[in-house]
Amino acid sequence: MTPFAGFAMPLQYDGILKEHARVREHVGLFDVSHMGEVRITGAGAVDAVNRIISNDLHRIKDGRAQYTTMCAPDGTIVDDLICYRLSAEEIFICINAANRSIDPAHMREHLSGDAVLADESDDWAQIAVQGPNATTLIERVFGDTLAKLRPFRIRTVAFRDTELYFATTGYTGERGCELYCRPEVAVALWEQLEADGADLGVGPAGLGARDTLRLEMGYCLYGSDIDRSTSPLEAGLAWVTRLGTEFVGRDALVAQRDAGVPRALVGLEVFERGIPRHGYPILGADGETVGAVTSGTKSPSTGRAIGLGYVPSGMAAEGTELTIDCRGRQRPARVVKTPFYTSKGDS
Amino acid sequence: MTDTPPENRYTEEHEWARRDDDNPHIIWIGITDYAQGQLGDVVMVELPEVGEAVDDDDACGAVESPKSVSDVFAPLVGRIIEVNETLLDAPEIVNSSPYDDGWLFKLEIKDAASFDDLMDHETYASFVEGLE
């Protein structure tokens, strides 16, 4: 167990490599109850949330999910979020554990109109079910209709006299769902998933595997790859940044775009025995420091030493040769495309 | 209960040291069972250069898991005379056999008696117990 954002969290259960393989090949269960949740309701909730996120909730229908960043007025990232559009008057939002107190305050400060925010972080537990066998497991527990639900959808479903949110989202690149349930039924839900998936290779996966799985997909981790010093345009999140809409931070981002985005978060691969790690300097051709690694590991699925890091925009092209200073040893590295791994289910 | 073979000496950085059967100036070094358990799956090992002179407490290698890097320190003053190159391609041996096949490097020490200054197995075992 490891302390994380005030929670005692399982870093690993029976080894990161084993848990990682479980999710890529079978199905893994993650206890991600540390994640926070807020609900914004009222007339004009969609418009109110749109003004605090970089993406655009008008682009999705009710019952769908959308990934987005939430920016400060200076265009840096306060958090990255999944917004679930339950209806035009009700948005359920999953926030990062470390920002459970920061986000609601930021949102309240910038919320407009009649929309009301409820901080529900203590009211929800969350279990993520991820892996190629997740579909079969979901069918057994929740039935055929939810098992066939396409990615980035959300439905309400009954479980033990409570309602839970069944969302086809995740942080691993595999099929599956995230289940937002009441804390009092979380253990029963976990046990049922384990029992019904016994012949499917189901088992627990901890924070360690969650990190290696998300990194293989090139997904950002708040606090490592993105934070209050980075903008979504720098972080490769322009695809969730709709500069045609009005939102907090938009003017700063338009100015950054017009002036030229100075740096970019890129995929990195290190050669010759070295694993990039958060904080390692990235060096240019003359040995000068040009950036830093923000995440890295030895990819369990591919065996490659992979990472993410910021480099000047002029050095962000795929194939650019760099050097990474791995604890005093200079290792050749290259800018490579992300994701680093393609799920077998998607090929 | 962590495994601490009685013939070894130990450090607070969780290295073990073992005197070579034939030569008291040659010391085998590795990381302890406790260390490998804490670290989890070892996916890369960085070894010192053969011939390198080391001071005690010099960082002279590293053991990496998917999640973290741990320095390996030289427990004694000496010179690196051999490294376990098998680990370069099979770092998981550090997990499966920390005290035998998972040795990291051999150190030649001038002062053979310095070995006796390291913690004995009982002291190390109670040191680890205090951490848990």
Side-chain angles (χ1 to χ4, degrees), chain B residues 4-48:
Chain B
T4 54
E7 66 274 23
N8 293 348
R9 295 284 168 143
Y10 299 89
T11 73
E12 290 192 358
E13 282 82 32
H14 307 287
E15 282 108 23
W16 57 262
R18 185 166 61 237
R19 215 172 235 150
D20 188 78
D21 288 341
D22 301 322
N23 184 343
H25 289 276
I26 293 176
I27 308 295
W28 299 51
I29 309 292
I31 67 165
T32 65
D33 181 46
Y34 175 81
Q36 70 79 22
Q38 287 292 306
L39 200 57
D41 300 306
V42 174
V43 296
M44 192 170 293
V45 173
E46 189 183 299
L47 297 167

Short mmCIF file of all heavy atoms in Angstrom, two decimals, chain B residues 4-48:
data_model
loop_
_atom_site.label_atom_id
_atom_site.label_comp_id
_atom_site.label_asym_id
_atom_site.label_seq_id
_atom_site.Cartn_x
_atom_site.Cartn_y
_atom_site.Cartn_z
N THR B 4 17.44 -13.71 5.39
CA THR B 4 18.76 -13.07 5.59
C THR B 4 19.79 -14.15 5.91
O THR B 4 20.03 -14.46 7.07
CB THR B 4 18.74 -12.06 6.75
OG1 THR B 4 18.24 -12.70 7.93
CG2 THR B 4 17.87 -10.86 6.45
N PRO B 5 20.42 -14.72 4.88
CA PRO B 5 21.40 -15.79 5.13
C PRO B 5 22.48 -15.34 6.13
O PRO B 5 23.00 -14.22 6.03
CB PRO B 5 22.02 -16.02 3.75
CG PRO B 5 20.96 -15.58 2.79
CD PRO B 5 20.27 -14.44 3.46
N PRO B 6 22.80 -16.20 7.09
CA PRO B 6 23.71 -15.82 8.18
C PRO B 6 25.15 -15.57 7.74
O PRO B 6 25.89 -14.85 8.42
CB PRO B 6 23.62 -17.00 9.15
CG PRO B 6 23.07 -18.14 8.35
CD PRO B 6 22.22 -17.53 7.29
N GLU B 7 25.58 -16.15 6.59
CA GLU B 7 26.98 -15.96 6.18
C GLU B 7 27.22 -14.57 5.58
O GLU B 7 28.35 -14.16 5.39
CB GLU B 7 27.40 -17.06 5.18
CG GLU B 7 26.70 -17.02 3.83
CD GLU B 7 25.37 -17.77 3.81
OE1 GLU B 7 24.76 -17.96 4.89
OE2 GLU B 7 24.93 -18.17 2.71
N ASN B 8 26.12 -13.83 5.30
CA ASN B 8 26.27 -12.51 4.67
C ASN B 8 26.38 -11.41 5.70
O ASN B 8 25.95 -11.56 6.84
CB ASN B 8 25.06 -12.20 3.79
CG ASN B 8 24.97 -13.12 2.58
OD1 ASN B 8 25.93 -13.82 2.26
ND2 ASN B 8 23.83 -13.11 1.92
N ARG B 9 26.92 -10.28 5.25
CA ARG B 9 26.83 -9.02 6.00
C ARG B 9 25.90 -8.09 5.21
O ARG B 9 25.67 -8.31 4.02
CB ARG B 9 28.22 -8.38 6.15
CG ARG B 9 29.16 -9.22 6.99
CD ARG B 9 28.82 -9.06 8.43
NE ARG B 9 29.52 -10.05 9.27
CZ ARG B 9 29.98 -9.78 10.48
NH1 ARG B 9 29.84 -8.56 10.99
NH2 ARG B 9 30.57 -10.72 11.20
N TYR B 10 25.41 -7.04 5.86
CA TYR B 10 24.34 -6.22 5.26
C TYR B 10 24.57 -4.72 5.50
O TYR B 10 25.32 -4.33 6.38
CB TYR B 10 22.99 -6.63 5.86
CG TYR B 10 22.66 -8.08 5.58
CD1 TYR B 10 23.07 -9.08 6.47
CD2 TYR B 10 21.99 -8.44 4.42
CE1 TYR B 10 22.81 -10.41 6.20
CE2 TYR B 10 21.72 -9.78 4.15
CZ TYR B 10 22.13 -10.76 5.05
OH TYR B 10 21.88 -12.08 4.77
N THR B 11 23.87 -3.91 4.69
CA THR B 11 23.92 -2.45 4.87
C THR B 11 22.51 -1.91 5.05
O THR B 11 21.53 -2.59 4.71
CB THR B 11 24.52 -1.75 3.63
OG1 THR B 11 23.55 -1.79 2.57
CG2 THR B 11 25.82 -2.39 3.19
N GLU B 12 22.44 -0.68 5.53
CA GLU B 12 21.13 -0.04 5.70
C GLU B 12 20.50 0.29 4.35
O GLU B 12 19.32 0.61 4.27
CB GLU B 12 21.26 1.25 6.54
CG GLU B 12 21.58 0.94 7.99
CD GLU B 12 21.43 2.15 8.90
OE1 GLU B 12 21.12 3.24 8.38
OE2 GLU B 12 21.65 1.98 10.12
N GLU B 13 21.30 0.28 3.28
CA GLU B 13 20.75 0.49 1.93
C GLU B 13 20.30 -0.83 1.32
O GLU B 13 20.02 -0.89 0.13
CB GLU B 13 21.78 1.17 1.03
CG GLU B 13 21.94 2.66 1.26
CD GLU B 13 22.85 2.95 2.44
OE1 GLU B 13 23.80 2.15 2.66
OE2 GLU B 13 22.62 3.95 3.15
N HIS B 14 20.25 -1.87 2.13
CA HIS B 14 19.70 -3.17 1.71
C HIS B 14 20.56 -3.88 0.66
O HIS B 14 20.05 -4.53 -0.24
CB HIS B 14 18.25 -3.03 1.23
CG HIS B 14 17.38 -2.34 2.24
ND1 HIS B 14 16.97 -2.96 3.40
CD2 HIS B 14 16.90 -1.08 2.29
CE1 HIS B 14 16.26 -2.11 4.12
NE2 HIS B 14 16.20 -0.96 3.48
N GLU B 15 21.89 -3.70 0.81
CA GLU B 15 22.79 -4.57 0.05
C GLU B 15 23.28 -5.68 0.97
O GLU B 15 23.34 -5.51 2.17
CB GLU B 15 24.01 -3.80 -0.47
CG GLU B 15 23.73 -2.96 -1.67
CD GLU B 15 23.72 -1.49 -1.35
OE1 GLU B 15 24.34 -1.09 -0.34
OE2 GLU B 15 23.06 -0.72 -2.07
N TRP B 16 23.60 -6.81 0.33
CA TRP B 16 24.30 -7.85 1.09
C TRP B 16 25.72 -7.96 0.55
O TRP B 16 26.01 -7.60 -0.60
CB TRP B 16 23.58 -9.21 1.03
CG TRP B 16 23.35 -9.76 -0.37
CD1 TRP B 16 22.20 -9.67 -1.10
CD2 TRP B 16 24.28 -10.48 -1.19
NE1 TRP B 16 22.35 -10.27 -2.32
CE2 TRP B 16 23.61 -10.79 -2.40
CE3 TRP B 16 25.60 -10.90 -1.03
CZ2 TRP B 16 24.23 -11.50 -3.43
CZ3 TRP B 16 26.22 -11.61 -2.06
CH2 TRP B 16 25.54 -11.90 -3.25
N ALA B 17 26.63 -8.44 1.40
CA ALA B 17 28.02 -8.65 1.01
C ALA B 17 28.42 -10.04 1.50
O ALA B 17 28.06 -10.44 2.61
CB ALA B 17 28.91 -7.58 1.65
N ARG B 18 29.11 -10.77 0.64
CA ARG B 18 29.54 -12.12 1.04
C ARG B 18 31.00 -12.33 0.65
O ARG B 18 31.41 -12.00 -0.46
CB ARG B 18 28.67 -13.20 0.38
CG ARG B 18 29.00 -14.60 0.86
CD ARG B 18 27.94 -15.63 0.48
NE ARG B 18 27.77 -15.75 -0.95
CZ ARG B 18 26.61 -15.57 -1.59
NH1 ARG B 18 25.52 -15.25 -0.93
NH2 ARG B 18 26.54 -15.71 -2.91
N ARG B 19 31.76 -12.84 1.60
CA ARG B 19 33.17 -13.12 1.37
C ARG B 19 33.32 -14.29 0.41
O ARG B 19 32.62 -15.30 0.55
CB ARG B 19 33.79 -13.50 2.72
CG ARG B 19 35.19 -13.05 2.90
CD ARG B 19 35.63 -13.31 4.34
NE ARG B 19 36.12 -12.10 4.98
CZ ARG B 19 36.02 -11.87 6.27
NH1 ARG B 19 35.43 -12.71 7.09
NH2 ARG B 19 36.53 -10.76 6.78
N ASP B 20 34.21 -14.15 -0.56
CA ASP B 20 34.48 -15.26 -1.48
C ASP B 20 35.06 -16.44 -0.71
O ASP B 20 35.83 -16.27 0.24
CB ASP B 20 35.48 -14.77 -2.55
CG ASP B 20 35.67 -15.80 -3.65
OD1 ASP B 20 34.79 -15.89 -4.51
OD2 ASP B 20 36.69 -16.52 -3.61
N ASP B 21 34.66 -17.64 -1.11
CA ASP B 21 35.11 -18.84 -0.40
C ASP B 21 36.63 -18.98 -0.42
O ASP B 21 37.23 -19.50 0.53
CB ASP B 21 34.50 -20.10 -1.04
CG ASP B 21 33.01 -20.21 -0.73
OD1 ASP B 21 32.57 -19.55 0.24
OD2 ASP B 21 32.29 -20.94 -1.44
N ASP B 22 37.28 -18.54 -1.50
CA ASP B 22 38.71 -18.78 -1.67
C ASP B 22 39.57 -17.58 -1.33
O ASP B 22 40.76 -17.75 -1.04
CB ASP B 22 39.00 -19.20 -3.11
CG ASP B 22 38.22 -20.45 -3.49
OD1 ASP B 22 38.10 -21.34 -2.62
OD2 ASP B 22 37.72 -20.52 -4.63
N ASN B 23 39.00 -16.37 -1.42
CA ASN B 23 39.83 -15.18 -1.26
C ASN B 23 39.12 -14.14 -0.38
O ASN B 23 38.12 -13.56 -0.81
CB ASN B 23 40.13 -14.60 -2.65
CG ASN B 23 41.07 -13.40 -2.58
OD1 ASN B 23 41.26 -12.79 -1.51
ND2 ASN B 23 41.64 -13.04 -3.72
N PRO B 24 39.60 -13.90 0.83
CA PRO B 24 38.92 -12.98 1.76
C PRO B 24 38.95 -11.53 1.29
O PRO B 24 38.27 -10.69 1.86
CB PRO B 24 39.70 -13.14 3.07
CG PRO B 24 41.05 -13.64 2.65
CD PRO B 24 40.83 -14.47 1.42
N HIS B 25 39.73 -11.20 0.25
CA HIS B 25 39.76 -9.83 -0.29
C HIS B 25 38.71 -9.62 -1.37
O HIS B 25 38.57 -8.52 -1.89
CB HIS B 25 41.16 -9.51 -0.84
CG HIS B 25 42.18 -9.34 0.24
ND1 HIS B 25 42.36 -8.16 0.92
CD2 HIS B 25 43.04 -10.23 0.80
CE1 HIS B 25 43.31 -8.31 1.83
NE2 HIS B 25 43.73 -9.56 1.78
N ILE B 26 38.01 -10.69 -1.73
CA ILE B 26 36.98 -10.56 -2.76
C ILE B 26 35.59 -10.70 -2.11
O ILE B 26 35.32 -11.67 -1.41
CB ILE B 26 37.17 -11.62 -3.87
CG1 ILE B 26 38.46 -11.29 -4.63
CG2 ILE B 26 35.97 -11.61 -4.83
CD1 ILE B 26 38.84 -12.29 -5.68
N ILE B 27 34.77 -9.68 -2.35
CA ILE B 27 33.44 -9.63 -1.73
C ILE B 27 32.38 -9.59 -2.83
O ILE B 27 32.46 -8.77 -3.75
CB ILE B 27 33.30 -8.36 -0.84
CG1 ILE B 27 34.46 -8.26 0.16
CG2 ILE B 27 31.95 -8.34 -0.13
CD1 ILE B 27 34.53 -9.36 1.19
N TRP B 28 31.41 -10.48 -2.74
CA TRP B 28 30.27 -10.49 -3.66
C TRP B 28 29.19 -9.57 -3.10
O TRP B 28 28.93 -9.59 -1.89
CB TRP B 28 29.69 -11.90 -3.79
CG TRP B 28 30.63 -12.95 -4.32
CD1 TRP B 28 31.88 -13.23 -3.86
CD2 TRP B 28 30.38 -13.87 -5.39
NE1 TRP B 28 32.44 -14.26 -4.58
CE2 TRP B 28 31.53 -14.67 -5.53
CE3 TRP B 28 29.30 -14.08 -6.24
CZ2 TRP B 28 31.61 -15.69 -6.49
CZ3 TRP B 28 29.39 -15.09 -7.19
CH2 TRP B 28 30.54 -15.88 -7.32
N ILE B 29 28.58 -8.79 -4.00
CA ILE B 29 27.58 -7.81 -3.57
C ILE B 29 26.26 -8.03 -4.32
O ILE B 29 26.26 -8.32 -5.52
CB ILE B 29 28.05 -6.36 -3.87
CG1 ILE B 29 29.47 -6.10 -3.34
CG2 ILE B 29 27.05 -5.33 -3.34
CD1 ILE B 29 29.60 -6.09 -1.84
N GLY B 30 25.18 -7.84 -3.62
CA GLY B 30 23.86 -7.89 -4.27
C GLY B 30 22.87 -7.10 -3.44
O GLY B 30 23.24 -6.42 -2.49
N ILE B 31 21.59 -7.17 -3.83
CA ILE B 31 20.56 -6.54 -2.99
C ILE B 31 19.79 -7.63 -2.25
O ILE B 31 19.70 -8.76 -2.72
CB ILE B 31 19.60 -5.62 -3.79
CG1 ILE B 31 18.73 -6.40 -4.77
CG2 ILE B 31 20.38 -4.53 -4.51
CD1 ILE B 31 17.54 -5.59 -5.31
N THR B 32 19.24 -7.26 -1.11
CA THR B 32 18.64 -8.26 -0.23
C THR B 32 17.27 -8.70 -0.72
O THR B 32 16.65 -8.05 -1.57
CB THR B 32 18.48 -7.71 1.20
OG1 THR B 32 17.54 -6.63 1.18
CG2 THR B 32 19.82 -7.22 1.76
N ASP B 33 16.81 -9.78 -0.13
CA ASP B 33 15.47 -10.28 -0.41
C ASP B 33 14.43 -9.21 -0.09
O ASP B 33 13.48 -8.99 -0.85
CB ASP B 33 15.24 -11.53 0.43
CG ASP B 33 13.88 -12.15 0.18
OD1 ASP B 33 13.51 -12.28 -1.01
OD2 ASP B 33 13.19 -12.49 1.15
N TYR B 34 14.63 -8.51 1.02
CA TYR B 34 13.72 -7.43 1.40
C TYR B 34 13.69 -6.35 0.31
O TYR B 34 12.62 -5.90 -0.11
CB TYR B 34 14.15 -6.82 2.73
CG TYR B 34 13.34 -5.61 3.13
CD1 TYR B 34 12.10 -5.76 3.73
CD2 TYR B 34 13.82 -4.31 2.91
CE1 TYR B 34 11.34 -4.66 4.10
CE2 TYR B 34 13.06 -3.20 3.28
CZ TYR B 34 11.83 -3.37 3.87
OH TYR B 34 11.08 -2.28 4.22
N ALA B 35 14.88 -5.97 -0.19
CA ALA B 35 14.96 -4.92 -1.21
C ALA B 35 14.24 -5.33 -2.49
O ALA B 35 13.49 -4.55 -3.07
CB ALA B 35 16.42 -4.59 -1.50
N GLN B 36 14.47 -6.56 -2.93
CA GLN B 36 13.82 -6.97 -4.19
C GLN B 36 12.31 -7.03 -4.01
O GLN B 36 11.55 -6.71 -4.93
CB GLN B 36 14.41 -8.27 -4.75
CG GLN B 36 14.12 -9.56 -4.00
CD GLN B 36 12.74 -10.14 -4.26
OE1 GLN B 36 12.10 -9.85 -5.27
NE2 GLN B 36 12.26 -10.96 -3.32
N GLY B 37 11.86 -7.42 -2.81
CA GLY B 37 10.43 -7.47 -2.55
C GLY B 37 9.79 -6.09 -2.55
O GLY B 37 8.70 -5.89 -3.07
N GLN B 38 10.51 -5.12 -1.98
CA GLN B 38 10.01 -3.75 -1.94
C GLN B 38 9.97 -3.14 -3.34
O GLN B 38 9.07 -2.38 -3.69
CB GLN B 38 10.91 -2.88 -1.04
CG GLN B 38 10.75 -3.17 0.43
CD GLN B 38 9.39 -2.76 0.96
OE1 GLN B 38 8.97 -1.63 0.81
NE2 GLN B 38 8.67 -3.70 1.55
N LEU B 39 11.00 -3.47 -4.12
CA LEU B 39 11.15 -2.88 -5.45
C LEU B 39 10.12 -3.44 -6.42
O LEU B 39 9.62 -2.74 -7.29
CB LEU B 39 12.56 -3.21 -5.93
CG LEU B 39 13.18 -2.40 -7.03
CD1 LEU B 39 13.21 -0.93 -6.65
CD2 LEU B 39 14.60 -2.90 -7.28
N GLY B 40 9.78 -4.72 -6.27
CA GLY B 40 8.89 -5.37 -7.23
C GLY B 40 9.69 -5.85 -8.44
O GLY B 40 10.92 -5.98 -8.36
N ASP B 41 8.98 -6.08 -9.54
CA ASP B 41 9.62 -6.66 -10.73
C ASP B 41 10.83 -5.85 -11.18
O ASP B 41 10.69 -4.68 -11.54
CB ASP B 41 8.61 -6.69 -11.89
CG ASP B 41 7.39 -7.52 -11.56
OD1 ASP B 41 7.56 -8.68 -11.18
OD2 ASP B 41 6.26 -7.00 -11.70
N VAL B 42 11.99 -6.48 -11.18
CA VAL B 42 13.18 -5.79 -11.67
C VAL B 42 13.21 -5.92 -13.19
O VAL B 42 13.17 -7.03 -13.73
CB VAL B 42 14.46 -6.38 -11.04
CG1 VAL B 42 15.71 -5.77 -11.66
CG2 VAL B 42 14.45 -6.15 -9.53
N VAL B 43 13.23 -4.78 -13.90
CA VAL B 43 13.19 -4.80 -15.36
C VAL B 43 14.49 -4.29 -15.99
O VAL B 43 14.69 -4.43 -17.19
CB VAL B 43 12.00 -3.99 -15.92
CG1 VAL B 43 10.68 -4.62 -15.49
CG2 VAL B 43 12.05 -2.53 -15.47
N MET B 44 15.36 -3.71 -15.18
CA MET B 44 16.66 -3.31 -15.72
C MET B 44 17.67 -3.17 -14.59
O MET B 44 17.33 -2.70 -13.50
CB MET B 44 16.58 -2.01 -16.51
CG MET B 44 17.86 -1.75 -17.30
SD MET B 44 17.77 -0.39 -18.49
CE MET B 44 16.62 -0.99 -19.70
N VAL B 45 18.90 -3.59 -14.87
CA VAL B 45 19.98 -3.47 -13.90
C VAL B 45 21.10 -2.68 -14.54
O VAL B 45 21.48 -2.95 -15.69
CB VAL B 45 20.47 -4.87 -13.46
CG1 VAL B 45 21.71 -4.75 -12.58
CG2 VAL B 45 19.37 -5.63 -12.74
N GLU B 46 21.58 -1.68 -13.83
CA GLU B 46 22.72 -0.89 -14.30
C GLU B 46 23.91 -1.27 -13.43
O GLU B 46 23.84 -1.18 -12.21
CB GLU B 46 22.37 0.58 -14.14
CG GLU B 46 23.34 1.55 -14.77
CD GLU B 46 22.90 2.99 -14.46
OE1 GLU B 46 21.78 3.37 -14.86
OE2 GLU B 46 23.67 3.69 -13.78
N LEU B 47 24.99 -1.72 -14.08
CA LEU B 47 26.14 -2.23 -13.33
C LEU B 47 27.32 -1.28 -13.44
O LEU B 47 27.44 -0.53 -14.41
CB LEU B 47 26.51 -3.61 -13.87
CG LEU B 47 25.42 -4.68 -13.70
CD1 LEU B 47 25.75 -5.92 -14.53
CD2 LEU B 47 25.24 -5.05 -12.23
N PRO B 48 28.22 -1.31 -12.46
CA PRO B 48 29.41 -0.45 -12.55
C PRO B 48 30.39 -0.99 -13.60
O PRO B 48 30.20 -2.08 -14.15
CB PRO B 48 30.01 -0.54 -11.14
CG PRO B 48 29.51 -1.83 -10.59
CD PRO B 48 28.18 -2.10 -11.23
#
